[in-house]
Amino acid sequence: MLNIVLFQPEIPENTGNIARTCVAFNAKLHLIRPYGFFLSDRNLKRSSVTYWNELKLCEYDCFQDFIEINKINKSTQIYYITRYGKNTTSMIKYDTKKDVYLVFGKESTGISKSILKDNLSKTIRIPITNKVRALNLSNCVAMLAYEYVKQDKFKGLEKTEPFKLNELD
């Protein structure tokens, strides 16, 4: 299963968009406190549209709780998405038969450097030009989630329009 992990997210609209992406790709969303908003925030709910109730959500008080509860160890497929990444997105081949965790940092400062320094071999960088410092968090999640489902051959996902059949006929 694909697991999207947000380390101390700050912007409710980003988290809402990410929640919708998680529902779309059958991923579980893990949120690590503190947040820059409340889960009752109307902007969070608005950006997730009506999909919040479909979301598989886990919350943690700190990063260590996330590690312990999910039994993360050296053999776990866990990747940290950061501009300091040592791998590019195309270098990672996921074993989609096992859980995969993609960890994204908070919008202002990313993932704590104390976490990154012990996990440099499991870091991923999304290649971009030198004209932009960083991409939007929800866009980054969408790109990496898509790469995962593509490698999984879109298993469990609709490959034809399920809602408005025959509209183009």
Side-chain angles (χ1 to χ4, degrees):
M1 166 177 258
L2 176 60
N3 295 272
I4 301 297
V5 182
L6 301 184
F7 176 78
Q8 302 177 353
E10 299 168 313
I11 301 173
E13 293 85 354
N14 280 339
T15 301
N17 286 333
I18 292 164
R20 185 180 353 175
T21 298
C22 286
V23 172
F25 290 136
N26 290 322
K28 185 184 289 186
L29 179 60
H30 302 259
L31 299 177
I32 300 172
R33 293 181 186 90
Y35 316 146
F37 53 86
F38 295 102
L39 289 185
S40 60
D41 188 298
R42 67 185 185 96
N43 292 322
L44 173 78
K45 300 295 182 177
R46 184 182 312 133
S47 58
S48 65
V49 191
T50 58
Y51 304 111
W52 193 261
N53 293 335
E54 300 294 324
L55 180 66
K56 298 173 217 148
L57 176 66
C58 297
E59 297 180 85
Y60 309 90
D61 288 329
C62 65
F63 188 74
Q64 192 56 41
D65 286 352
F66 162 75
I67 294 293
E68 290 172 9
I69 290 169
N70 291 287
K71 298 177 175 57
I72 305 293
N73 58 45
K74 296 228 182 268
S75 66
T76 302
Q77 290 185 98
I78 184 167
Y79 301 97
Y80 302 86
I81 294 43
T82 171
R83 64 184 179 169
Y84 305 110
K86 301 298 181 189
N87 302 289
T88 62
T89 52
S90 62
M91 295 167 70
I92 305 299
K93 302 301 178 219
Y94 303 113
D95 181 351
T96 57
K97 292 177 178 62
K98 298 180 181 176
D99 281 343
V100 172
Y101 294 86
L102 302 177
V103 182
F104 298 83
K106 61 182 166 180
E107 290 90 340
S108 62
T109 59
I111 302 168
S112 169
K113 289 182 182 54
S114 63
I115 294 170
L116 291 177
K117 72 177 184 172
D118 294 331
N119 296 288
L120 285 176
S121 67
K122 294 186 172 197
T123 57
I124 298 175
R125 175 180 170 75
I126 298 172
I128 59 175
T129 69
N130 63 359
K131 297 174 181 127
V132 176
R133 185 174 56 85
L135 295 171
N136 175 274
L137 177 62
S138 64
N139 292 337
C140 294
V141 170
M143 283 187 261
L144 273 287
Y146 183 80
E147 178 62 29
Y148 173 89
V149 298
K150 183 177 84 173
Q151 288 186 25
D152 198 25
K153 298 178 177 46
F154 306 105
K155 187 173 73 187
L157 304 180
E158 298 292 331
K159 295 179 188 85
T160 59
E161 168 55 50
F163 300 108
K164 296 183 178 182
L165 300 174
N166 303 321
E167 273 201 14
L168 296 179
D169 291 340

